[in-house]
Amino acid sequence: MARIEVRVPDIGNYQDVPVIELLVKPGDAVRVDQGLVTLESDKATMEVPSSAAGTVAELRVKVGDRVAEGSVVAVLEDAGLGTRDPGPVQASAAAPAATPDASPRVPAVSGVPASAPATDLSCQLLVLGAGPGGYTAAFRGADLGLDVILVERYPTLGGVCLNVGCIPSKALLHAARVIDEAAHAAEIGIGFGAPQIDLPKLRGFKDQVVGKLTQGLAGMARQRKVRVVQGTGSFASPHSVSVQTAGGVQTIGFEHAVIAAGSQAVKLPGLPWGDPRLMDSTDALLLADTPKKLLVIGGGIIGLEMACVYDALGSEVTVVELFDQLMPGCDPDLVRPLAQRLGKRYGGIHLQTKVAGVVAQADGLLASFEGDKAPPPTLYDRVLCAVGRSPNGRKIGAEKAGVTVSDRGFIAVDKQMRTNVPHIFAIGDIVGQPMLAHKATHEGKVAAEVAAGHKSEFVARVIPSVAYTDPEIAWVGVTETEAKAQGLQVGVGKFPHAASGRAIGIDRTEGFTKLIFDEDSHRVIGAGIVGPSAGDLIAEAALAIEMGCEAADIGLTIHPHPTLSESVGMAAEVYEGTITDLYVPKKR
């Protein structure tokens, strides 16, 4: 069997470029263009791709070695799967391409019907679902020259996120923040009096925000000549989808499809869902009224965001969470300032407590609880169930296309967002956690680019999470809890907002910024922020992780003063031991 040397191709004018990561090991099977090692020069990273497919017989470099154009990095035993002419290596800030074992195992398609029904419409790319991931895939596909049809069950584009999720909730959270800030102003000598809440007008503001965005999407669809079909779609065959529209059923044929069907709110069994006083997150956004007493089942992001809205509007809010902290999965220290603030405002926060039942009565919803510190049965005007979301994978007739769906409704995909049926892709909530719009948009671009024949992969190193509560909480990368569980050797730099001039100036000093560093390389691998604008600040940390920044890179970056963004640089300085805005005793 032939042995092939893989050499460093043209990498510009760089010489003696260090090897910072080995992406494969001897015995691994590799494909053409798969990254073998990662190089770094001037803070840009670049992968050396394999010029052939085969098995790695040996690696000729190790981490720390320095290479140049023509250096041999690996020797392959050729499996006869094709080669290519090496071209210039492209520098990138993205994470290294994953080794084959890092991708989900996607079984080959089987049992696909040989015949397909007649179609009313046809296209090169069909996108099922017009949420952030779906419309992004459709628009990107159209930009690349594909004939695209976008199927959406809502009357307007945007899916759950724009219509009944992210966007309307943030509009209401803005109103809640204005109410809270007006009340807080009295403490610094500016009194506005009690707020006068006009619910119809507030609903109108929320709807106006949603309308602007959805109208903008409709305009961009027209500009790109993306055909939109409103209705509920399900697969009829591997190359067609049936759409139930207001005028009947339309069958659409396609060459490629992107499943972007999203998720729906989980409805706990045994609750009186026929009673309008029992709400999911979509119902809560309607603002039918301001209940005097509101129970929120679930202390996660969605539940707490809606709790903040109704608390500001005047409801007495009680939160029940099954786990031992609010926002499970987030570091406890990040949650603590929020929990302390809510504990002073809410009617109750009950952790490690289960809702045993809810009984509809004429005068309210009577909830009973289980747990060591469970409260007694209590009557509420409304109950919001916010215990998570479930994917819609089992509601789209995927089996008729041969697409494999798990029992929970998830669809496995590879790094190119392909399902087990090569011409059908899946993105967003339906492919797994985290169920976040910003993840879906990047996945949508990858799927469209691959469908158009481009070499593209989803290689995000980290995906940030944000809770738009008050205070906001944001985190990205490895958490301290995860680092301890995995036995990672990490160091933490934490800067309290009590030492921030900007935070003091706005009288919001309860938060902090922390960065988590790998002790060996001093590279940032995680971050967490709690406080005003945490969701905006976390982007710098996400970029720093993607770029492989060390503590010194962040600390030596000049941040504007006085801003909350300074806290990111100062957290790095705390870790480095160069901080001057705090006195940190030197370690002995």
Side-chain angles (χ1 to χ4, degrees), residues 292-349:
K292 183 178 179 181
K293 296 185 67 174
L294 171 69
L295 172 65
V296 177
I297 305 174
I301 292 177
I302 295 175
L304 291 179
E305 286 183 352
M306 293 312 303
C308 285
V309 170
Y310 278 90
D311 169 64
L313 294 177
S315 296
E316 179 188 293
V317 177
T318 298
V319 177
V320 173
E321 170 55 49
L322 190 60
F323 290 93
D324 59 358
Q325 71 165 56
L326 296 176
M327 228 171 287
C330 183
D331 274 339
D333 60 341
L334 288 172
V335 178
R336 196 168 298 120
L338 172 66
Q340 290 173 343
R341 183 175 188 271
L342 300 188
K344 298 174 183 177
R345 298 174 62 99
Y346 287 8
I349 296 178

Side-chain angles (χ1 to χ4, degrees), residues 173-506:
L173 283 163
H174 166 69
R177 185 167 61 251
V178 170
I179 294 171
D180 287 341
E181 289 181 350
H184 175 69
E187 299 177 14
I188 60 174
I190 304 173
F192 292 98
Q196 302 298 312
I197 308 296
D198 185 336
L199 274 185
K201 195 168 185 177
L202 181 56
R203 283 195 297 267
F205 164 71
K206 175 204 65 173
D207 294 341
Q208 183 183 32
V209 170
V210 171
K212 285 181 179 179
L213 287 167
T214 55
Q215 288 170 20
L217 290 177
M220 286 191 287
R222 288 192 297 270
Q223 290 171 329
R224 288 177 162 91
K225 295 181 172 55
V226 171
R227 288 176 284 170
V228 177
V229 176
Q230 184 195 343
T232 303
S234 62
F235 285 95
S237 78
H239 282 282
S240 64
V241 162
S242 293
V243 183
Q244 181 66 55
T245 70
V249 177
Q250 279 191 315
T251 301
I252 305 173
F254 57 82
E255 295 177 18
H256 296 88
V258 176
I259 301 171
S263 63
Q264 63 178 2
V266 172
K267 294 191 174 184
L268 289 177
L271 301 184
W273 284 106
D275 193 308
R277 295 170 297 182
L278 176 61
M279 308 181 293
D280 61 15
S281 57
T282 299
D283 302 323
L285 288 168
L286 296 176
L287 287 185
D289 56 32
T290 303
K292 183 178 179 181
K293 296 185 67 174
L294 171 69
L295 172 65
V296 177
I297 305 174
I301 292 177
I302 295 175
L304 291 179
E305 286 183 352
M306 293 312 303
C308 285
V309 170
Y310 278 90
D311 169 64
L313 294 177
S315 296
E316 179 188 293
V317 177
T318 298
V319 177
V320 173
E321 170 55 49
L322 190 60
F323 290 93
D324 59 358
Q325 71 165 56
L326 296 176
M327 228 171 287
C330 183
D331 274 339
D333 60 341
L334 288 172
V335 178
R336 196 168 298 120
L338 172 66
Q340 290 173 343
R341 183 175 188 271
L342 300 188
K344 298 174 183 177
R345 298 174 62 99
Y346 287 8
I349 296 178
H350 304 286
L351 304 178
Q352 295 180 292
T353 301
K354 177 183 177 181
V355 174
V358 176
V359 177
Q361 299 183 172
D363 55 348
L365 298 175
L366 181 65
S368 56
F369 309 93
E370 294 177 355
D372 291 340
K373 298 182 180 179
T378 307
L379 193 69
Y380 297 93
D381 298 292
R382 284 185 177 270
V383 174
L384 166 61
C385 181
V387 293
R389 300 187 64 82
S390 62
N392 290 326
R394 306 197 70 81
K395 300 183 177 184
I396 57 173
E399 68 282 355
K400 294 182 180 179
V403 174
T404 301
V405 183
S406 75
D407 291 341
R408 295 179 59 198
F410 289 108
I411 297 175
V413 293
D414 62 16
K415 290 291 184 179
Q416 292 188 307
M417 312 313 300
R418 293 184 191 271
T419 68
N420 60 298
V421 181
H423 66 277
I424 299 179
F425 304 80
I427 63 172
D429 290 2
I430 214 162
V431 304
Q433 300 289 353
M435 290 183 173
L436 298 171
H438 43 277
K439 175 183 77 89
T441 58
H442 284 263
E443 292 173 338
K445 284 185 178 180
V446 169
E449 288 166 0
V450 175
H454 291 244
K455 292 181 178 179
S456 184
E457 288 187 344
F458 184 71
V459 290
R461 181 170 289 169
V462 291
I463 301 171
S465 296
V466 182
Y468 297 91
T469 48
D470 187 10
E472 290 185 6
I473 301 176
W475 66 98
V476 65
V478 176
T479 66
E480 277 195 88
T481 303
E482 291 170 341
K484 291 176 182 177
Q486 297 172 22
L488 302 179
Q489 297 300 311
V490 298
V492 177
K494 182 182 289 189
F495 185 81
H497 291 180
S500 162
R502 179 65 172 168
I504 293 171
I506 62 174

Side-chain angles (χ1 to χ4, degrees), residues 44-76:
T45 60
M46 58 192 82
E47 291 180 6
V48 175
S50 178
S51 56
T55 301
V56 179
E58 59 179 301
L59 289 171
R60 293 281 182 86
V61 295
K62 60 182 182 299
V63 173
D65 286 354
R66 292 181 173 271
V67 298
E69 181 179 351
S71 300
V72 177
V73 297
V75 177
L76 304 183

